Short mmCIF file of all heavy atoms in Angstrom, two decimals:
data_model
loop_
_atom_site.label_atom_id
_atom_site.label_comp_id
_atom_site.label_asym_id
_atom_site.label_seq_id
_atom_site.Cartn_x
_atom_site.Cartn_y
_atom_site.Cartn_z
N TRP A 8 -60.26 -42.47 -87.09
CA TRP A 8 -60.02 -42.75 -85.68
C TRP A 8 -58.52 -42.63 -85.37
O TRP A 8 -58.13 -41.98 -84.42
CB TRP A 8 -60.56 -44.15 -85.39
CG TRP A 8 -60.24 -44.74 -84.05
CD1 TRP A 8 -59.34 -45.74 -83.82
CD2 TRP A 8 -60.83 -44.44 -82.79
NE1 TRP A 8 -59.34 -46.07 -82.49
CE2 TRP A 8 -60.24 -45.29 -81.83
CE3 TRP A 8 -61.79 -43.53 -82.37
CZ2 TRP A 8 -60.59 -45.26 -80.49
CZ3 TRP A 8 -62.13 -43.50 -81.03
CH2 TRP A 8 -61.53 -44.36 -80.11
N TRP A 12 -56.18 -39.73 -82.92
CA TRP A 12 -55.23 -40.05 -81.85
C TRP A 12 -53.84 -39.51 -82.17
O TRP A 12 -53.15 -38.98 -81.30
CB TRP A 12 -55.19 -41.55 -81.60
CG TRP A 12 -56.42 -42.05 -80.94
CD1 TRP A 12 -57.53 -42.57 -81.55
CD2 TRP A 12 -56.72 -42.03 -79.54
NE1 TRP A 12 -58.49 -42.89 -80.61
CE2 TRP A 12 -58.01 -42.58 -79.38
CE3 TRP A 12 -56.01 -41.62 -78.41
CZ2 TRP A 12 -58.61 -42.71 -78.13
CZ3 TRP A 12 -56.60 -41.77 -77.17
CH2 TRP A 12 -57.88 -42.31 -77.04
N GLY A 16 -51.25 -36.61 -80.26
CA GLY A 16 -49.93 -36.98 -79.78
C GLY A 16 -49.97 -38.17 -78.85
O GLY A 16 -49.08 -38.37 -78.02
N ALA A 17 -51.00 -38.98 -78.96
CA ALA A 17 -51.18 -40.15 -78.11
C ALA A 17 -51.04 -41.41 -78.96
O ALA A 17 -51.18 -41.38 -80.18
CB ALA A 17 -52.55 -40.12 -77.45
N THR A 18 -50.77 -42.50 -78.30
CA THR A 18 -50.70 -43.78 -78.97
C THR A 18 -52.12 -44.26 -79.23
O THR A 18 -52.91 -44.39 -78.29
CB THR A 18 -49.98 -44.81 -78.08
OG1 THR A 18 -48.70 -44.30 -77.73
CG2 THR A 18 -49.84 -46.15 -78.78
N ALA A 19 -52.43 -44.49 -80.49
CA ALA A 19 -53.78 -44.96 -80.82
C ALA A 19 -54.03 -46.31 -80.18
O ALA A 19 -53.18 -47.20 -80.25
CB ALA A 19 -53.95 -45.05 -82.34
N PRO A 20 -55.17 -46.45 -79.52
CA PRO A 20 -55.51 -47.76 -78.95
C PRO A 20 -55.61 -48.80 -80.07
O PRO A 20 -55.81 -48.45 -81.23
CB PRO A 20 -56.87 -47.53 -78.31
CG PRO A 20 -57.02 -46.05 -78.20
CD PRO A 20 -56.20 -45.45 -79.28
N ASP A 21 -55.48 -50.06 -79.70
CA ASP A 21 -55.64 -51.09 -80.72
C ASP A 21 -57.07 -51.03 -81.27
O ASP A 21 -57.92 -50.31 -80.76
CB ASP A 21 -55.29 -52.47 -80.17
CG ASP A 21 -56.20 -52.91 -79.03
OD1 ASP A 21 -57.33 -52.40 -78.93
OD2 ASP A 21 -55.77 -53.77 -78.26
N ALA A 23 -59.45 -52.86 -80.99
CA ALA A 23 -60.51 -53.37 -80.11
C ALA A 23 -61.39 -52.24 -79.59
O ALA A 23 -62.61 -52.37 -79.56
CB ALA A 23 -59.90 -54.17 -78.96
N LEU A 24 -60.79 -51.13 -79.17
CA LEU A 24 -61.59 -50.00 -78.67
C LEU A 24 -62.44 -49.42 -79.79
O LEU A 24 -63.62 -49.14 -79.60
CB LEU A 24 -60.70 -48.92 -78.04
CG LEU A 24 -61.43 -47.69 -77.52
CD1 LEU A 24 -62.45 -48.05 -76.45
CD2 LEU A 24 -60.42 -46.68 -76.98
N PHE A 25 -61.86 -49.25 -80.95
CA PHE A 25 -62.60 -48.76 -82.12
C PHE A 25 -63.80 -49.68 -82.39
O PHE A 25 -64.93 -49.21 -82.53
CB PHE A 25 -61.67 -48.71 -83.34
CG PHE A 25 -62.36 -48.39 -84.63
CD1 PHE A 25 -62.64 -47.08 -84.98
CD2 PHE A 25 -62.73 -49.41 -85.51
CE1 PHE A 25 -63.26 -46.78 -86.18
CE2 PHE A 25 -63.36 -49.11 -86.70
CZ PHE A 25 -63.63 -47.80 -87.04
N THR A 27 -65.26 -51.73 -80.35
CA THR A 27 -66.22 -51.66 -79.26
C THR A 27 -67.10 -50.42 -79.41
O THR A 27 -68.33 -50.49 -79.20
CB THR A 27 -65.49 -51.66 -77.90
OG1 THR A 27 -64.73 -52.86 -77.79
CG2 THR A 27 -66.47 -51.56 -76.75
N LEU A 67 -62.27 -36.33 -81.14
CA LEU A 67 -62.34 -37.46 -80.21
C LEU A 67 -63.59 -37.36 -79.33
O LEU A 67 -64.25 -38.37 -79.06
CB LEU A 67 -61.09 -37.56 -79.35
CG LEU A 67 -61.03 -38.86 -78.53
CD1 LEU A 67 -60.84 -40.07 -79.44
CD2 LEU A 67 -59.94 -38.79 -77.51
N PHE A 71 -66.75 -40.14 -78.84
CA PHE A 71 -67.20 -40.69 -77.56
C PHE A 71 -68.50 -40.08 -77.04
O PHE A 71 -69.06 -40.61 -76.07
CB PHE A 71 -66.11 -40.49 -76.49
CG PHE A 71 -65.06 -41.56 -76.49
CD1 PHE A 71 -63.88 -41.39 -77.20
CD2 PHE A 71 -65.24 -42.73 -75.78
CE1 PHE A 71 -62.90 -42.37 -77.19
CE2 PHE A 71 -64.27 -43.73 -75.76
CZ PHE A 71 -63.10 -43.54 -76.47
N ALA A 88 -67.90 -39.77 -71.07
CA ALA A 88 -66.72 -38.94 -70.80
C ALA A 88 -65.69 -39.70 -69.99
O ALA A 88 -64.48 -39.62 -70.26
CB ALA A 88 -67.14 -37.66 -70.08
N ASP A 89 -66.15 -40.45 -69.00
CA ASP A 89 -65.22 -41.25 -68.19
C ASP A 89 -64.50 -42.28 -69.05
O ASP A 89 -63.30 -42.52 -68.88
CB ASP A 89 -65.96 -41.95 -67.06
CG ASP A 89 -66.44 -41.01 -65.97
OD1 ASP A 89 -65.99 -39.84 -65.93
OD2 ASP A 89 -67.30 -41.43 -65.17
N TRP A 90 -65.23 -42.87 -69.96
CA TRP A 90 -64.63 -43.86 -70.86
C TRP A 90 -63.57 -43.21 -71.74
O TRP A 90 -62.48 -43.75 -71.93
CB TRP A 90 -65.74 -44.52 -71.68
CG TRP A 90 -65.31 -45.70 -72.49
CD1 TRP A 90 -64.11 -46.37 -72.44
CD2 TRP A 90 -66.09 -46.38 -73.47
NE1 TRP A 90 -64.12 -47.42 -73.33
CE2 TRP A 90 -65.32 -47.44 -73.97
CE3 TRP A 90 -67.37 -46.17 -73.97
CZ2 TRP A 90 -65.79 -48.31 -74.96
CZ3 TRP A 90 -67.83 -47.04 -74.94
CH2 TRP A 90 -67.05 -48.10 -75.43
N ALA A 91 -63.87 -42.03 -72.26
CA ALA A 91 -62.90 -41.32 -73.09
C ALA A 91 -61.65 -40.97 -72.30
O ALA A 91 -60.52 -41.14 -72.78
CB ALA A 91 -63.54 -40.05 -73.67
N VAL A 92 -61.84 -40.48 -71.08
CA VAL A 92 -60.70 -40.12 -70.23
C VAL A 92 -59.83 -41.35 -69.95
O VAL A 92 -58.61 -41.29 -70.01
CB VAL A 92 -61.17 -39.45 -68.92
CG1 VAL A 92 -60.05 -39.36 -67.90
CG2 VAL A 92 -61.73 -38.07 -69.22
N GLU A 93 -60.48 -42.46 -69.67
CA GLU A 93 -59.74 -43.70 -69.41
C GLU A 93 -58.92 -44.10 -70.64
O GLU A 93 -57.75 -44.47 -70.53
CB GLU A 93 -60.72 -44.82 -69.04
CG GLU A 93 -60.06 -46.15 -68.77
CD GLU A 93 -61.10 -47.23 -68.47
OE1 GLU A 93 -62.08 -46.94 -67.75
OE2 GLU A 93 -60.91 -48.36 -68.95
N ALA A 94 -59.54 -44.02 -71.81
CA ALA A 94 -58.84 -44.37 -73.05
C ALA A 94 -57.67 -43.41 -73.30
O ALA A 94 -56.58 -43.84 -73.70
CB ALA A 94 -59.81 -44.35 -74.23
N LEU A 95 -57.90 -42.13 -73.06
CA LEU A 95 -56.83 -41.13 -73.23
C LEU A 95 -55.68 -41.38 -72.26
O LEU A 95 -54.51 -41.28 -72.64
CB LEU A 95 -57.39 -39.72 -73.06
CG LEU A 95 -58.18 -39.18 -74.23
CD1 LEU A 95 -59.05 -38.00 -73.80
CD2 LEU A 95 -57.25 -38.78 -75.37
N ALA A 96 -56.01 -41.68 -71.03
CA ALA A 96 -54.97 -41.96 -70.03
C ALA A 96 -54.15 -43.17 -70.44
O ALA A 96 -52.91 -43.15 -70.37
CB ALA A 96 -55.60 -42.16 -68.65
N GLN A 97 -54.82 -44.22 -70.89
CA GLN A 97 -54.12 -45.43 -71.30
C GLN A 97 -53.25 -45.19 -72.53
O GLN A 97 -52.24 -45.85 -72.71
CB GLN A 97 -55.10 -46.56 -71.57
CG GLN A 97 -55.74 -47.09 -70.30
CD GLN A 97 -56.79 -48.16 -70.57
OE1 GLN A 97 -57.10 -48.50 -71.70
NE2 GLN A 97 -57.35 -48.69 -69.50
N ALA A 98 -53.63 -44.21 -73.35
CA ALA A 98 -52.86 -43.88 -74.55
C ALA A 98 -51.74 -42.89 -74.26
O ALA A 98 -51.01 -42.50 -75.16
CB ALA A 98 -53.80 -43.32 -75.63
N GLY A 99 -51.65 -42.45 -73.01
CA GLY A 99 -50.57 -41.55 -72.62
C GLY A 99 -50.83 -40.09 -72.92
O GLY A 99 -49.91 -39.28 -72.94
N ALA A 100 -52.09 -39.72 -73.10
CA ALA A 100 -52.43 -38.32 -73.38
C ALA A 100 -52.26 -37.48 -72.12
O ALA A 100 -52.49 -37.95 -71.00
CB ALA A 100 -53.87 -38.21 -73.88
N ASP A 101 -51.88 -36.27 -72.31
CA ASP A 101 -51.69 -35.31 -71.22
C ASP A 101 -52.99 -35.16 -70.43
O ASP A 101 -54.09 -35.20 -70.99
CB ASP A 101 -51.27 -33.96 -71.84
CG ASP A 101 -51.02 -32.90 -70.81
OD1 ASP A 101 -49.90 -32.86 -70.28
OD2 ASP A 101 -51.95 -32.13 -70.53
N ARG A 102 -52.87 -34.95 -69.13
CA ARG A 102 -54.04 -34.79 -68.26
C ARG A 102 -54.92 -33.62 -68.70
O ARG A 102 -56.14 -33.67 -68.61
CB ARG A 102 -53.61 -34.61 -66.80
CG ARG A 102 -54.80 -34.58 -65.86
CD ARG A 102 -54.42 -34.65 -64.40
NE ARG A 102 -53.72 -35.87 -64.03
CZ ARG A 102 -54.32 -37.05 -63.79
NH1 ARG A 102 -55.61 -37.15 -63.89
NH2 ARG A 102 -53.61 -38.09 -63.42
N VAL A 104 -55.41 -32.58 -71.74
CA VAL A 104 -56.18 -33.06 -72.89
C VAL A 104 -57.35 -33.89 -72.39
O VAL A 104 -58.48 -33.72 -72.84
CB VAL A 104 -55.29 -33.88 -73.85
CG1 VAL A 104 -56.13 -34.59 -74.90
CG2 VAL A 104 -54.23 -32.99 -74.50
N GLN A 105 -57.09 -34.77 -71.45
CA GLN A 105 -58.16 -35.60 -70.87
C GLN A 105 -59.27 -34.74 -70.30
O GLN A 105 -60.46 -35.00 -70.54
CB GLN A 105 -57.59 -36.49 -69.76
CG GLN A 105 -56.57 -37.51 -70.22
CD GLN A 105 -55.91 -38.22 -69.05
OE1 GLN A 105 -56.55 -38.48 -68.04
NE2 GLN A 105 -54.63 -38.54 -69.18
#
Side-chain angles (χ1 to χ4, degrees):
W8 171 254
W12 288 94
T18 304
D21 62 23
L24 179 59
F25 173 83
T27 300
L67 189 68
F71 276 94
D89 290 346
W90 189 10
V92 167
E93 179 182 320
L95 283 162
Q97 290 176 357
D101 182 85
R102 185 170 298 280
V104 170
Q105 296 172 36

